Amino acid sequence: MSTRSNPAHAIVRVLFVNLGIGALVAVLTILFREQILNHQLHALAVPPAQWQQTHDMLSGQLWSRPGTIAVMTLVYAFVVRDLYRGKRRAYIRAHVVAAIGVVVYGYLVFSGQYPAWVTVLFAAQALVALTLLVLLRRRPARAFFAREEKPDRAPQSAR
């Protein structure tokens, strides 16, 4: 099969674009953590008495982004390998990643919890996840990752 006819190449490129944007968000989250936390505290209209407690809770949530990206990098390595091999389970995993991405990033865009510059990056990730879903649903990808037909077994004779 030629390189151009393998739909896994386009799918993998989109996966890596998503991972790259996610890594950028993770790095920026670490660098601008306090700015993001202050935005969230004001957006949630936290009373002064609960400011520190809410700050600590939100801070823990922000640290989950870099950890999630690290885990996703490992998962992507295995998914990419299996996509190039034409394995259906990788195709299904890519569907799951894309569908969850559309929902999660869509929520983050419309939640108003983050500053505008972070929201723009989440919107980009939502569009990339949607692009991935479209690529996965196209006929060449469906054919490339089609379910393998199992040979029929001959019925066993009665003993």
Side-chain angles (χ1 to χ4, degrees):
M1 181 174 278
S2 74
T3 304
R4 290 180 181 252
S5 64
N6 185 342
H9 294 293
I11 292 167
V12 167
R13 278 193 297 272
V14 173
L15 278 170
F16 281 126
V17 168
N18 187 35
L19 188 62
I21 296 170
L24 176 64
V25 172
V27 168
L28 293 174
T29 297
I30 292 168
L31 293 175
F32 298 104
R33 185 172 131 301
E34 284 303 317
Q35 178 188 353
I36 295 169
L37 287 170
N38 286 334
H39 176 87
Q40 289 177 322
L41 289 166
H42 288 291
L44 293 171
V46 176
Q50 296 175 346
W51 190 272
Q52 188 60 44
Q53 179 184 2
T54 307
H55 179 279
D56 293 344
M57 180 193 69
L58 292 172
S59 182
Q61 290 175 354
L62 273 183
W63 283 111
S64 70
R65 176 149 289 285
T68 301
I69 292 299
V71 169
M72 290 304 293
T73 301
L74 294 174
V75 170
Y76 275 28
F78 292 104
V79 170
V80 165
R81 180 194 65 197
D82 288 347
L83 282 169
Y84 279 127
R85 292 179 179 170
K87 294 196 175 183
R88 185 157 176 83
R89 69 175 181 221
Y91 174 70
I92 292 168
R93 285 183 183 138
H95 265 93
V96 170
V97 166
I100 290 172
V102 169
V103 172
V104 169
Y105 296 123
Y107 168 76
L108 291 172
V109 166
F110 293 108
S111 70
Q113 296 178 30
Y114 292 90
W117 62 270
V118 178
T119 302
V120 168
L121 291 171
F122 287 149
Q125 280 191 285
L127 288 173
V128 169
L130 191 57
T131 301
L132 181 58
L133 274 177
V134 169
L135 285 174
L136 290 165
R137 296 307 309 151
R138 294 184 72 206
R139 183 170 288 150
R142 289 194 325 261
F144 185 75
F145 296 104
R147 194 174 302 187
E148 293 179 10
E149 298 292 326
K150 293 184 180 180
D152 290 336
R153 288 187 168 179
Q156 293 181 346
S157 59
R159 292 185 183 193

